[in-house]
Amino acid sequence: MLSRITRPAASALASNIKRPLTLRNHARPFATVDGNTPRVQPTPPRTRATPISHDRATFTIRDGPVFNGKSFGAKSNISGEAVFTTSLVGYPESLTDPSYRGQILVFTQPLIGNYGIPSAARDENGLLRYFESPNLQAAGVVVADVAEHYSHWTAVKSLGEWCAEEGVPAVSGVDTRAIVTYLREQGSSLARITIGEEYDADQDEAFVDPEQINLVHKVSTKAPFHISSSTGDAHIAVIDCGVKENILRSLVRRGASVTVFPYDYPVHKVAHHFDGVFITNGPGDPTHCQDTVYHLQKLMESSQVPIMGICLGHQLLALGAGARTIKLKYGNRAHNIPALDLTTGRCHITSQNHGYAVDSATLPSDWKEYFVNLNDSSNEGIIHKSRPIFGTQFHPEARGGPLDSSYLFDTYLESVGRYKRSQAIFQPKRDSRPSPLLVDLLAKERVGVVPTTGMENLLRMGEAGEQAAAAARAA
């Protein structure tokens, strides 16, 4: 199992070896394998950090209004897609959600930052207690009023200090009601945050559209990592499209060890070693992930393994089944969106963060709609009619709540258990549990993920433009 899972990485390593390796004089004749050996990943240097800026700040919507406010984060000029969330709490979790990569997040809650930012403490499984990923993911932050003085027993710094450390600009003192009204009427729009400069209409061409970028590639782990569960013997292959920590926690606490693979890993080639496959949330347009869609197609053709997808994972599952996705006008980002379970008639209050949705009218005949949004009637879930495969657009694991739909993890792991027992009948010696050696070799957290840079620093973009113009004149 170990050789099959690690073969792509090993092949890449072998191809880069230019000369024979020289062994050290003191080689160990025997190696001790400890499944609980802690591994510490190197922390990337924070070259993006700046002092907190309190300069004039401008929030500009492309071909739209301009809002003047005050900076309270990094002194950095960025652009991205402006979106809004109506969530009242959970701003640390929202801002570290990889699904927000490349987006400028506008909070409709008037006061943000009043309970500060907690530490990067980890739980007994090595997962972050208070964040959904190790870094702030949003390109920029816009609020009506920021609390510069915070109060909470978990807090270690202010929202402004955190934004400055992460190199993310933040703006307060703007009319977020007017911004949200514009975005609801016009749809999600490209926008820019400029710190300490006057707005220049001639720079409108500097807007960067994150939807043209494969954002999943930026947030997905670059090599497999593993998290063990001490309470069960299930083993799940997780396809990381921008996984939230609480998705992994929700699986591990229910007795499933997880091996997390890059988004484009050919999971269908190793699925027979696992008891289930899980596709996670992530940012951007699902059609950028064509390799993932192809691998899911092959997986469903060649394996009966249970599959669950959340958010982007749900959309990729639908694409793999043959359906299509659509871009919503301004998306759904909130903690209070009603979703109706079409199989039971029950309504759940859900947490959501997405700009795309599955077009349920394009589902093949062996699939059916599972959940529907009661606000805009968009699709919120799909389920296969005869196999243990389903996906939800909303987040059953929602950190910050609500937890109405968390039972879906139990539903998924019940199907995993049934699959595992059925396989034991035909393969009595089958053991899907990860070997101690595999556990020891793999990292224990996401590998090689570079923090957000706000898509592009507009100052650098301007310099590059000037250099190009100079070169053209010289030619």
Side-chain angles (χ1 to χ4, degrees):
M1 173 179 177
L2 175 63
S3 62
R4 296 190 182 187
I5 291 179
T6 58
R7 186 173 299 156
S11 300
L13 177 61
S15 65
N16 290 329
I17 296 178
K18 303 300 183 182
R19 59 176 180 232
L21 297 177
T22 302
L23 298 178
R24 295 183 181 274
N25 294 330
H26 302 287
R28 292 186 300 164
F30 300 99
T32 301
V33 177
D34 182 356
N36 295 319
T37 303
R39 286 182 176 271
V40 179
Q41 296 295 317
T43 303
R46 292 185 179 275
T47 56
R48 306 171 302 130
T50 73
I52 297 180
S53 168
H54 296 289
D55 295 337
R56 169 194 174 97
T58 304
F59 176 68
T60 306
I61 299 177
R62 187 175 189 179
D63 299 323
V66 178
F67 298 88
N68 295 314
K70 181 180 179 182
S71 168
F72 69 91
K75 189 169 185 178
S76 176
N77 298 343
I78 59 91
S79 73
E81 181 185 24
V83 299
F84 66 90
T85 176
T86 62
S87 304
L88 302 182
V89 295
Y91 56 85
E93 293 89 343
S94 292
L95 291 171
T96 53
D97 181 351
S99 296
Y100 279 117
R101 177 64 74 99
Q103 295 177 329
I104 300 173
L105 186 54
V106 180
F107 288 89
T108 61
Q109 169 73 351
L111 182 63
I112 294 293
N114 55 318
Y115 56 91
I117 300 298
S119 70
R122 293 181 179 268
D123 64 14
E124 65 278 9
N125 296 308
L127 296 167
L128 292 163
R129 289 184 182 275
Y130 308 115
F131 299 137
E132 294 292 8
S133 71
N135 296 100
L136 203 160
Q137 298 287 343
V141 181
V142 178
V143 303
D145 188 17
V146 63
E148 297 182 355
H149 302 285
Y150 57 87
S151 177
H152 197 272
W153 66 273
T154 64
V156 296
K157 65 187 70 171
S158 70
L159 176 58
E161 291 171 332
W162 186 43
C163 288
E165 289 177 3
E166 294 284 331
V168 174
V171 181
S172 68
V174 295
D175 187 349
T176 53
R177 293 173 298 178
I179 295 173
V180 170
T181 298
Y182 180 87
L183 295 178
R184 283 182 64 91
E185 293 175 350
Q186 302 297 323
S188 298
S189 306
L190 298 183
R192 184 175 71 233
I193 293 178
T194 307
I195 307 299
E197 297 179 357
E198 295 288 342
Y199 168 69
D200 184 355
D202 293 335
Q203 293 185 1
D204 273 356
E205 294 183 358
F207 288 92
V208 176
D209 184 359
E211 296 298 318
Q212 304 303 316
I213 302 170
N214 185 354
L215 296 171
V216 173
H217 176 74
K218 294 181 177 295
V219 299
S220 175
T221 185
K222 302 304 181 286
F225 66 96
H226 180 84
I227 300 171
S228 295
S229 173
S230 60
T231 60
D233 60 356
H235 191 191
I236 306 297
V238 175
I239 304 304
D240 175 20
C241 300
V243 64
K244 295 167 65 175
E245 295 279 291
N246 207 39
I247 287 179
L248 300 179
R249 183 181 292 108
S250 296
L251 293 170
V252 172
R253 286 187 173 177
R254 287 171 169 82
S257 296
V258 297
T259 299
V260 186
F261 294 94
Y263 79 101
D264 55 355
Y265 191 89
V267 67
H268 59 287
K269 296 183 178 181
V270 298
H272 58 285
H273 292 297
F274 294 88
D275 304 313
V277 172
F278 195 103
I279 315 109
T280 77
N281 64 292
D285 186 343
T287 60
H288 284 305
C289 303
Q290 291 300 318
D291 286 344
T292 311
V293 172
Y294 173 77
H295 296 152
L296 290 175
Q297 288 174 339
K298 291 299 182 183
L299 174 66
M300 289 186 281
E301 291 173 359
S302 61
S303 174
Q304 295 295 314
V305 66
I307 306 173
M308 178 178 176
I310 287 181
C311 197
L312 179 69
H314 155 73
Q315 298 165 10
L316 295 174
L317 188 61
L319 290 173
R324 294 196 298 268
T325 56
I326 56 175
K327 183 171 176 58
L328 301 175
K329 184 175 181 179
Y330 49 81
N332 289 308
R333 299 173 181 87
H335 289 176
N336 62 345
I337 297 178
L340 178 66
D341 183 341
L342 296 177
T343 65
T344 66
R346 298 180 62 184
C347 177
H348 305 287
I349 303 302
T350 66
S351 173
Q352 302 192 18
N353 171 19
H354 62 99
Y356 289 81
V358 173
D359 182 356
S360 58
T362 64
L363 286 172
S365 59
D366 51 351
W367 291 79
K368 64 180 180 179
E369 199 167 23
Y370 192 178
F371 291 89
V372 65
N373 188 309
L374 291 180
N375 285 344
D376 61 10
S377 299
S378 61
N379 175 262
E380 292 289 350
I382 60 173
I383 186 169
H384 197 278
K385 292 180 178 179
S386 61
R387 296 172 58 183
I389 308 175
F390 71 94
T392 66
Q393 186 62 72
F394 53 84
H395 288 269
E397 86 296 341
R399 196 67 167 176
L403 299 176
D404 295 30
S405 56
S406 61
Y407 72 91
L408 290 170
F409 283 99
D410 300 315
T411 301
Y412 171 64
L413 287 171
E414 287 170 4
S415 67
V416 166
R418 288 192 295 271
Y419 174 78
K420 188 176 179 69
R421 290 190 295 272
S422 69
Q423 292 299 300
I425 296 174
F426 300 104
Q427 305 177 55
K429 295 184 179 180
R430 180 181 185 270
D431 186 0
S432 62
R433 291 175 299 178
S435 70
L437 180 59
L438 175 65
V439 171
D440 188 63
L441 287 176
L442 292 181
K444 300 300 181 287
E445 59 183 292
R446 58 195 87 199
V447 179
V449 179
V450 178
T452 183
T453 57
M455 298 313 298
E456 293 290 345
N457 185 297
L458 294 184
L459 293 178
R460 290 199 299 271
M461 290 172 60
E463 292 171 357
E466 292 176 0
Q467 294 171 0
R473 287 194 297 269

